[in-house]
Amino acid sequence: MSCSRPVKFAHVVYRTRRFEEMLRWYLTVFDGRVQYRNPGLAFLTYDDEHHRFALANMSLFQPDGAETERQGAIGVDHVAYTYASMGDLLENYAQLREKGILPYWCIHHGITVSLYYADPDGNQMEFQVESYDSSEEATAFMKEHFEANPLGVEFDPEEWLARLRAGEPPSGFMVRQGHEPVSPLRGEIGRLVAPPPVRE
Ligand SMILES: [Fe+2]
């Protein structure tokens, strides 16, 4: 079986040490609006998607660093693609696993259920499925729950795949049942902030 294709490109996340300046630039150039922001993270959109850009303030996540130019320290963190359904996302996970390609971060963001992968160069991408049918509901979730947990809660895709294949309705996985524990950031940011636990 071949892998599933995403239905659309969703968003890009940047690491920056010019948080306010970047925020102003994206709001101006894309005639955007802020969906949610705190001192470390900002989520912006310009259409009916709940976010088209997010900015991670590296001056906060890594206060000791000072590099404002080096790609990797700043620049693209990840891009995101949306899949049509939970079944597509998790069966695609199974297909990729058979090819030896595994996600490095499996996280229920609350507004999306997401699997993060890295290509051979280490470029990071998020494969996601929407938790809510409408952007209004997702936006409401961001405004209500991101203050306490702007990152999400980790899950085991293997366990979810088994439950899905056993006949549990996908809708049961979409809406997050709890908001704790707050996941540490993974990926390039994660290595700077909190190293992932070593898997046995
Ligand atoms: Fe993302």
Side-chain angles (χ1 to χ4, degrees):
M1 261 172 72
S2 59
C3 295
S4 301
R5 294 169 179 155
V7 289
K8 67 175 182 182
F9 178 76
H11 65 254
V12 54
V13 176
Y14 297 107
R15 295 184 288 264
T16 182
R17 289 188 178 276
R18 299 183 178 91
F19 189 65
E20 296 296 337
E21 201 182 328
M22 284 279 280
L23 193 53
R24 278 198 302 277
W25 196 92
Y26 279 92
L27 290 174
T28 301
V29 170
F30 289 88
D31 192 20
R33 61 184 187 275
V34 175
Q35 290 288 85
Y36 171 80
R37 68 167 291 188
N38 65 27
L41 293 165
F43 296 85
L44 322 176
T45 192
Y46 52 75
D47 62 6
D48 58 3
E49 186 80 7
H50 45 67
H51 66 293
R52 286 292 185 185
F53 305 101
L55 304 175
N57 183 357
M58 298 313 293
S59 302
L60 190 138
F61 283 112
Q62 194 202 24
D64 292 343
E67 292 187 278
T68 54
E69 311 303 332
R70 184 173 64 85
Q71 290 296 313
I74 54 95
V76 173
D77 180 78
H78 69 268
V79 296
Y81 299 90
T82 300
Y83 283 74
S85 68
M86 184 67 82
D88 273 11
L89 184 77
L90 290 179
E91 291 298 343
N92 191 51
Y93 157 81
Q95 289 294 324
L96 290 175
R97 182 192 57 198
E98 293 308 305
K99 300 175 201 296
I101 299 169
L102 290 168
Y104 64 82
W105 192 27
C106 307
I107 177 93
H108 197 320
H109 281 308
I111 51 174
T112 62
V113 173
S114 299
L115 303 176
Y116 285 76
Y117 289 82
D119 74 14
D121 276 347
N123 297 307
Q124 301 167 90
M125 62 206 68
E126 173 184 12
F127 295 163
Q128 67 180 23
V129 59
E130 293 285 347
S131 293
Y132 294 100
D133 291 335
S134 77
S135 186
E136 288 74 25
E137 289 169 289
T139 300
F141 184 96
M142 291 170 95
K143 294 187 192 306
E144 189 176 344
H145 294 293
F146 271 32
E147 200 66 51
N149 186 350
L151 293 172
V153 179
E154 290 178 276
F155 68 94
D156 180 355
E158 208 58 49
E159 184 210 323
W160 282 27
L161 180 65
R163 284 166 54 190
L164 201 69
R165 285 177 172 174
E168 249 186 82
S171 57
F173 301 93
M174 296 297 195
V175 174
R176 202 166 71 201
Q177 302 305 316
H179 307 303
E180 288 181 337
V182 179
S183 170
L185 277 162
R186 299 286 191 220
E188 179 63 26
I189 292 179
R191 282 195 291 275
L192 298 173
V193 175
V198 177
R199 285 222 164 151
E200 300 297 316

